[in-house]
């Protein structure tokens, strides 16, 4: 056996803006609630954090070490739920932030879950399918002690997909000796996945966007111009659904840059192009109807709705003033820094926050888990009906809190979610 060099840096706790952002949001929100100091500290901290260093045999025969994390932030309302991210920038603080946001997201939309998140430091684009499978199966086997349908249920996130979930489900099932579909969500449909899960996050973003527009009297879809940062699972499905409904998607970007047409893009063509080959990038899309733009240019694009659907820390003091939209709908988790938030608020731009706007994904994950546990499957019409019902109910709640306390939607969403976890904790009491 030849042993190669490490591809993953040693696990360190590096300063990460996402964690700072999640804590700053939390501190702001709890200042509106009358809760005991000990309870505030309890909900601020992750319950448990798991770090694992594990070997993977690469195609050339070398063994390389990788580092992965799973953070369980809070389990008061039920088993923890949240995705697994594969990206070179993953670190423990990012996973902590994302786990905390999952707790508030599930609480906000009324799901019987706590929050978790996982990640592996790797570049999935540079792994062959075989290496990706080996990495996933070994990471899954390391996770076996801390995941199950009743304790912690992973799902896809950036850099992972339904195939990743299939490998995790299979590895877990082989270990326990029987098939356990409900241990992960976001699976392929032929092994217990749900109709509509793949599209759910992006569609949910558009459902809440439409609600926000309606409440502002903007109902002519063909007059609404949308710019989207990110063309992964969330951004691409938001773009597809928006254009299917008749909205004008004028700009979309990915890591490479993006496509722009002030009269509206052919989103389906862009989708087919980027999905035709594994690493097809938007900047390489050639068409007379499209101008290729740099990533920074997206912020200055004339539009009515801006949808950050890529990563954390994207809208900040350096670019929040450039945004032309009157509405920002957060497809990504934590895309706006507190400084960016202040600028948008001062400019009168409404922000529909991440924990509401992108909750469609985990909501359909919940439907998938329920269907798996009951071995009774619903059709897509039923999924979409229930998804809309849950998201709009949460939207109403957020608006009610925002109006009552005269605060923005992010603060209102966080206050409502945190209070739900707080009250459940007080009802259960502290053990022993
Ligand atoms: N990764 C998604 C999110 O950030 C989905 C999590 C899930 O379905 O459990 O919401």
């Amino acid at each position: 056996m030849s042993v190669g060099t490490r591809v993953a840096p040693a696990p360190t706790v590096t300063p990460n803006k996402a964690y700072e952002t999640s804590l700053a949001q939390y501190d702001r929100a709890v200042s509106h609630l009358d809760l005991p100091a000990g309870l505030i500290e309890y909900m601020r901290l992750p319950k448990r954090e798991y770090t694992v260093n594990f070997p993977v045999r690469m195609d050339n025969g070398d063994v390389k070490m990788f580092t992965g994390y799973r953070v369980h932030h809070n389990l008061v309302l039920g088993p923890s739920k949240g995705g697994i991210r594969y990206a070179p920038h993953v670190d423990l603080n990012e996973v902590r932030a994302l786990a905390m946001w999952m707790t508030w997201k599930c609480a906000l939309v009324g799901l019987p879950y706590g929050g978790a998140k996982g990640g592996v430091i790797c570049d999935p684009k540079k792994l062959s399918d075989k290496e990706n499978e080996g990495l996933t199966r070994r990471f899954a086997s390391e996770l076996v002690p801390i995941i199950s349908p009743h304790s912690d249920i992973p799902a896809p996130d950036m850099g992972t997909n339904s195939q990743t979930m299939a490998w995790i489900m299979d590895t877990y099932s082989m270990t326990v000796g029987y098939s356990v579909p409900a241990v992960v969500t976001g699976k392929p449909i032929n092994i217990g996945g749900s109709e509509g899960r793949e599209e759910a996050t992006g569609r949910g973003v558009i459902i809440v966007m439409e609600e926000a527009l309606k409440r502002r009297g903007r109902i002519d879809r063909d007059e609404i111009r949308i710019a989207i940062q990110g063309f992964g699972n969330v951004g691409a499905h938001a773009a597809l659904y928006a254009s299917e409904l008749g909205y004008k998607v004028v700009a979309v970007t990915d890591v490479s840059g993006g496509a722009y047409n002030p009269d509206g893009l052919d989103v389906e063509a862009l989708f087919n192009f980027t999905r035709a080959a594994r690493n097809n990038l938007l900047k390489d899309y050639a068409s007379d109807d499209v101008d290729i733009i740099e990533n920074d240019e997206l912020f200055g694009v004339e539009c009515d709705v801006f949808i950050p659907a890529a990563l954390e820390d994207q809208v900040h003091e350096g670019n929040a003033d450039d945004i032309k939209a009157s509405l920002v709908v957060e497809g990504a988790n934590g895309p706006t820094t507190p400084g960016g938030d202040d600028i948008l608020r001062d400019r009168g731009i409404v922000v529909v926050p991440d924990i509401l706007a992108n909750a469609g994904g985990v909501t359909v994950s919940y439907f998938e888990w329920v269907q798996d546990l009951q071995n009774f499957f619903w059709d897509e019409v039923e999924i979409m009906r229930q998804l809309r019902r849950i998201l709009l109910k949460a939207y109403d709640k957020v608006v009610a809190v925002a109006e009552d306390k005269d605060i923005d939607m992010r603060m209102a969403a966080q206050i409502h979610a945190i209070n739900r976890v707080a009250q459940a904790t007080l009802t259960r009491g502290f053990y022993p």
Side-chain angles (χ1 to χ4, degrees):
M1 176 178 99
S2 60
V3 176
T5 48
R6 290 179 64 89
V7 289
T12 49
V13 181
T14 50
N16 180 297
K17 265 279 175 60
Y19 197 39
E20 272 172 46
T21 298
S22 66
L23 293 177
Q25 290 172 354
Y26 177 76
D27 292 339
R28 271 194 201 182
V30 289
S31 70
H32 290 267
L33 290 164
D34 185 19
L35 298 171
L39 176 59
I40 290 174
E41 188 65 6
Y42 171 76
M43 293 188 295
R44 201 173 191 270
L45 291 167
K47 176 186 174 71
R48 57 172 84 97
E49 306 178 336
Y50 188 69
T51 299
V52 55
N53 300 300
F54 58 95
V56 178
R57 187 178 298 281
M58 310 305 280
D59 289 348
N60 66 2
D62 284 357
V63 169
K64 289 193 174 173
M65 291 301 293
F66 289 83
T67 300
Y69 307 102
R70 184 79 182 165
V71 171
H72 295 171
H73 173 257
N74 188 294
L75 281 80
V76 169
L77 292 173
S80 53
K81 191 82 195 78
I84 291 178
R85 174 171 292 195
Y86 287 178
H89 71 264
V90 162
D91 70 19
L92 183 54
N93 272 343
E94 183 193 37
V95 180
R96 285 174 173 154
L98 293 163
M100 189 189 224
W101 282 319
M102 284 310 302
T103 302
W104 311 142
K105 193 188 302 186
C106 294
L108 176 67
V109 292
L111 307 179
Y113 288 140
K117 204 79 173 198
V120 176
I121 307 168
C122 66
D123 187 347
K125 289 201 174 80
K126 295 196 177 131
L127 298 172
S128 70
D129 289 347
K130 192 162 160 266
E131 289 167 342
N132 195 335
E133 177 172 357
L135 179 147
T136 300
R137 286 189 180 277
R138 180 60 193 243
F139 184 50
S141 84
E142 303 290 348
L143 291 179
V144 165
I146 61 158
I147 63 172
S148 81
H150 301 292
S151 58
D152 178 30
I153 306 131
D157 197 82
M158 178 179 290
T160 60
N161 55 29
S162 59
Q163 179 61 67
T164 321
M165 296 306 115
W167 289 325
I168 296 177
M169 178 272 199
D170 186 68
T171 303
Y172 185 89
S173 299
M174 288 302 103
T175 307
V176 299
Y178 50 91
S179 290
V180 189
V183 68
V184 286
T185 59
K187 297 178 294 294
I189 290 183
N190 66 351
I191 56 165
S194 176
E195 295 287 345
R197 174 61 187 88
E198 190 92 21
E199 305 84 3
T201 316
R203 287 190 171 194
V205 168
I206 300 305
I207 291 171
V208 299
M209 176 198 81
E210 183 150 274
E211 185 64 17
L213 289 167
K214 252 199 234 155
R215 288 177 189 242
R216 277 154 197 82
R218 308 278 314 260
I219 44 172
D220 291 324
R221 288 170 171 169
D222 58 354
E223 285 178 9
I224 309 285
R225 297 157 304 168
I226 305 174
I228 303 180
Q229 184 198 37
F231 208 58
N233 181 259
V234 182
H237 283 290
L240 280 173
Y241 193 44
S243 69
E244 205 180 301
L245 293 177
Y247 291 99
K248 227 183 250 174
V249 178
V250 294
V252 295
T253 57
D254 63 17
V255 282
S256 69
Y260 172 65
N261 180 340
D263 298 320
L265 294 162
D266 181 347
V267 177
E268 209 179 316
L270 291 165
F271 184 82
N272 291 339
F273 172 73
T274 52
R275 269 58 181 175
R278 197 168 165 199
N279 293 333
N280 268 4
L281 295 167
L282 284 172
K283 77 165 176 16
D284 298 323
Y285 181 82
S287 155
D288 291 344
D289 299 338
V290 158
D291 287 332
I292 297 300
I293 56 169
E294 301 278 329
N295 277 325
D296 285 349
E297 290 180 83
L298 183 74
F299 291 89
V301 161
E302 288 293 341
C303 61
D304 303 284
V305 184
F306 183 79
I307 301 181
L311 261 181
E312 307 90 64
D313 301 340
Q314 297 302 300
V315 180
H316 47 69
E317 281 104 327
N319 58 23
D321 270 319
D322 301 336
I323 291 177
K324 302 281 188 294
S326 57
L327 179 66
V328 172
V329 185
E330 295 183 332
N333 294 307
T336 310
T337 65
D341 245 349
D342 290 341
I343 293 172
L344 296 179
R345 194 178 329 99
D346 290 348
R347 293 183 57 212
I349 297 171
V350 171
V351 178
V352 184
D354 46 6
I355 61 171
L356 174 61
N358 71 36
V362 72
T363 301
V364 177
S365 274
Y366 165 62
F367 300 158
E368 180 174 333
W369 177 74
V370 169
Q371 293 171 85
D372 288 339
L373 292 177
Q374 299 186 336
N375 288 304
F376 178 72
F377 290 86
W378 320 344
D379 62 23
E380 200 185 334
V381 174
E382 181 63 6
I383 298 278
M384 285 304 290
R385 191 179 71 80
Q386 296 281 4
L387 172 63
R388 181 176 295 278
R389 180 183 66 78
I390 287 184
L391 291 180
L392 296 184
K393 194 170 143 203
Y395 197 106
D396 275 345
K397 198 74 226 176
V398 170
V399 170
V401 176
E403 283 173 0
D404 180 50
K405 295 194 185 295
D406 195 22
I407 49 176
D408 61 46
M409 287 182 77
R410 184 186 316 284
M411 249 338 78
Q414 294 239 345
I415 288 171
H416 181 64
I418 293 168
N419 199 34
R420 185 163 176 242
V421 178
Q423 296 312 318
T425 311
L426 292 172
T427 303
R428 283 178 60 163
F430 290 97
Y431 174 86

